[in-house]
Structure formats: C-alpha cells, structure tokens
Amino acid sequence: MNPHSAQPKPHRPDSVAAPTRPRPAFPVRLEGIGAPGPIARPVPAAPSGVTTAARYPAAASVPTGLGLDSSAVRQAMVTRLAAQGLSHPAVLQALAAVERHRFVDSALVNQAYEDTSLPIGLGQTISKPSVVGRMLELLLEGRASPPGRVLEIGTGCGYQSALLARLVREVYSLERLRGLHDKARDNLRPLRLHNVHLILGDGMLGYPRGAAYDAILSAASGEFIPQAWLDQLALGGRLVAPVAQAPGRQSLVVVDRTAQGFVRTVLEAVHFVPLKSGVA
Ligand code: SAH
C-alpha cells in the first residue's frame, strides 16, 4: 500500500466521532512504517474487552512530502544513541524503524528525534528514546530467545508499544487514562500491529488474563512494585520499572524471578511520571 495516497477515511466501528487531531506532519518525506519485525507475528483473537491495535482499518496518511527522508533523521538519532552506549541490534533496529514523529503532536514534530521526553497530553510524557532503549535492552538482556508475552504499564501515546511489537511476540499494554488509551489506538491503527493488545485499566493490578508474562515493563514510577506484577511474572521472567527510592528520587529497578525467588537490582536514576491507581 502506498502510505502517501490519500484515501477516504474508513468507517470507524469503535466510536461515533472521527478523530479531530490532525496526524502530525514531519517536515520531510514520510515513508510507511512497514510490517512488524521478523519475530512479531499475528496472534489469536484477544480476550473480550481488549482492543487489538490492528483490529481497525488503517487511517489514510496525510501526505506531507517535502524532500528529505525521515528515516535518515531517525538513523541519526540511533547513531547518537549507539554512541551513548545502546548496543542491542534489535533495539537499535526498532528505534530506527518506528516513526516517533507520528506519536507526538504536530507542534512537537521537529523535536521528535531529539533525545528528550515530550508532552503527550493529560499531563503525561513520551519517554526519552535513550531511556526507552535502555529499558528494552534490559528486557532482552541475557535471553536466548525474545520474550513471548509482555505486559506494558502505561501505554501513553503508544510509541513504546510499537517498539515492543517488533521485539517480542505479544504485547499487553495497560493505560489508566481513557484519552491516552484512545490516542494510542489511533496512533497504532495505521501500523496494523496484530500482536499489540491495548487495555484501558489500572496497571497497578496488572492484567491477570494475559499472565504469566515473560517480561513486565512500566513507564510510570510508583513508591513500590505492586504485588500483582510480581505474581504475574513468569518464572525466568524479568520486570523493569522505575521505582521511587526516596521522595523525588527514582531509580530503574530490575526484578528477575528465579527458581530461588525474586532478585532485585537497583540501577541508575531516572525520571518518570507517577504511577497512579484507578481509571480516569
Ligand atoms: N510508554 C509511553 C509512556 C507514557 S507515560 C509512551 O511511549 O508514550 C506513562 C503512562 O503511564 C501515562 O500515560 C500514565 O497515564 C500511565 N499510567 C500511570 N499510572 C498507571 C496505571 N496505574 N495503570 C496504567 N497506566 C498508568
């Protein structure tokens, strides 16, 4: 399919109102995201109540061709991240492939490939690419094969879900704010990712229906790691989450579930939005 061709908007079966937010334009030529990566493959129907990102028809892209190629800008970002120490080939490939500019508002498109967090509405932010890459590397570290089922807490705009879709077999992503859950669904729809399931719900409870998870990744920082996450982590699985160590001081924490129990490792300082309970 030519992603530049402007096609009539398909009927949206999930909502009465068409999206009003214009798809962000990038000041360079846009190319399609392409199919999910080689290890991403379609999965059987999701449990009811779950939105599979690819269940809805792709929205037509707005052509904005202005000459250059956004993949070159993305590749430059990846080269900078690699120079800073990011090294996992699949993570670098995913960062080079997923069009971050499509996940931010049009006014921020020019900053999409800077290593910075950006507002995504409702007081939330899309994480810095270097931090997203670091967390994804931690998820894949030391594994002979990629994780199968992964639980993501904090879908936000869906950017990290799109990266995960290329790296693992199946992604269950929870978001507590309806506005962002809807935004992520709109952002991910054109990518037709059959292995991403978006769930509106309180991530502090995890998502028992998809458990056990080979990996759990949180994009929001709590005071502690919820027991539900530990319960839903498979034996041999790994959890990566920012956790407050003291007021105003968060660190990235890795928890490995081994036959001997949970092994917790505290890593570098980070700065994430807070993990909150309930759905809003
Ligand atoms: N990975 C996201 C980052 C979003 S920021 C992206 O790529 O855009 C973190 C998100 O966590 C916010 O959207 C916030 O609403 C969400 N969040 C916070 N507490 C949550 C909870 N208990 N359950 C689900 N989502 C939560």
Side-chain angles (χ1 to χ4, degrees), residues 177-188:
L177 297 177
R178 186 179 295 276
L180 288 176
H181 168 79
D182 290 347
K183 181 181 270 194
R185 191 193 52 210
D186 288 345
N187 287 340
L188 292 172

Side-chain angles (χ1 to χ4, degrees), residues 120 124-127 132 152-161 174-177 180 201-205 219-220 272-278:
I120 53 173
Q124 309 303 316
T125 55
I126 180 175
S127 310
V132 176
E152 179 187 39
I153 316 293
T155 315
C157 65
Y159 173 66
Q160 185 175 274
S161 317
L174 283 158
E175 172 56 54
R176 65 178 288 274
L177 297 177
L180 288 176
D202 181 357
M204 288 187 80
L205 308 174
F272 280 80
V273 295
L275 182 70
K276 295 187 176 172
S277 56

Side-chain angles (χ1 to χ4, degrees), residues 205-219:
L205 308 174
Y207 187 65
R209 294 175 75 176
Y213 299 101
D214 296 318
I216 298 180
L217 191 61
S218 177

